[in-house]
Amino acid sequence: MPFAAITYDIKPGYEKELTEIFGDFKRVKSGRVPDASGAAAGTILATAVFLRDDTLVRVIEYTGDLDAVARHMAVQPGVREVEAKLKPYLSKPRDTDTPEGFVATFRRSLLNTVAQISARDLPAAG
């Protein structure tokens, strides 16, 4: 399963506030990611958020099309709420108020994948 990681440039010193924002995250009922016609385009399997100094990183484990995942995330109420709450803590503004702005910001914030290794990729012991 692939992973994607996006970065946020934040003001240092707000670890407690940022932890609270993500601690109150409202999960979606399903990880299913639809395409424009409503057909399955992928799945969001897991997310994790990491913070150090002035960098916050959101890691997403997913299946399917990453652009569809970004478009799906752009309209999720919990994601929109987190993005709004993060604004005062950002050192560089992010245009995430619209789905188009969110997707463009997602793409600009995406880290390049260097390696992905999973025990799930190992052959079954026989």
Side-chain angles (χ1 to χ4, degrees):
M1 308 296 168
F3 293 87
I6 57 173
T7 61
Y8 297 76
D9 298 309
I10 58 166
K11 300 173 187 172
Y14 293 101
E15 291 82 2
K16 181 180 180 225
E17 294 85 349
L18 294 165
T19 299
E20 288 174 2
I21 288 170
F22 283 96
D24 291 337
F25 181 74
K26 293 181 178 98
R27 298 176 187 262
V28 294
K29 294 179 182 173
S30 169
R32 181 181 179 277
V33 174
D35 65 12
S37 70
T43 308
I44 297 174
L45 301 171
T47 61
V49 179
F50 301 88
L51 171 64
R52 187 182 70 205
D53 301 328
D54 62 350
T55 303
L56 186 137
V57 178
R58 177 185 276 177
V59 177
I60 305 151
E61 183 181 19
Y62 68 97
T63 64
D65 178 47
L66 185 57
D67 282 335
V69 168
R71 287 189 302 273
H72 177 70
M73 290 176 64
V75 297
Q76 296 307 303
V79 173
R80 296 185 61 73
E81 183 178 323
V82 163
E83 290 288 333
K85 287 180 177 180
L86 287 175
K87 284 186 180 208
Y89 305 106
L90 298 174
S91 61
K92 293 181 184 173
R94 294 167 61 92
D95 174 20
T96 58
D97 292 336
T98 65
E100 298 78 18
F102 180 94
V103 170
T105 299
F106 184 97
R107 287 181 185 140
R108 275 193 309 277
S109 303
L110 195 61
L111 295 172
N112 291 326
T113 301
V114 175
Q116 293 185 148
I117 302 167
S118 172
R120 290 177 289 208
D121 299 331
L122 297 174

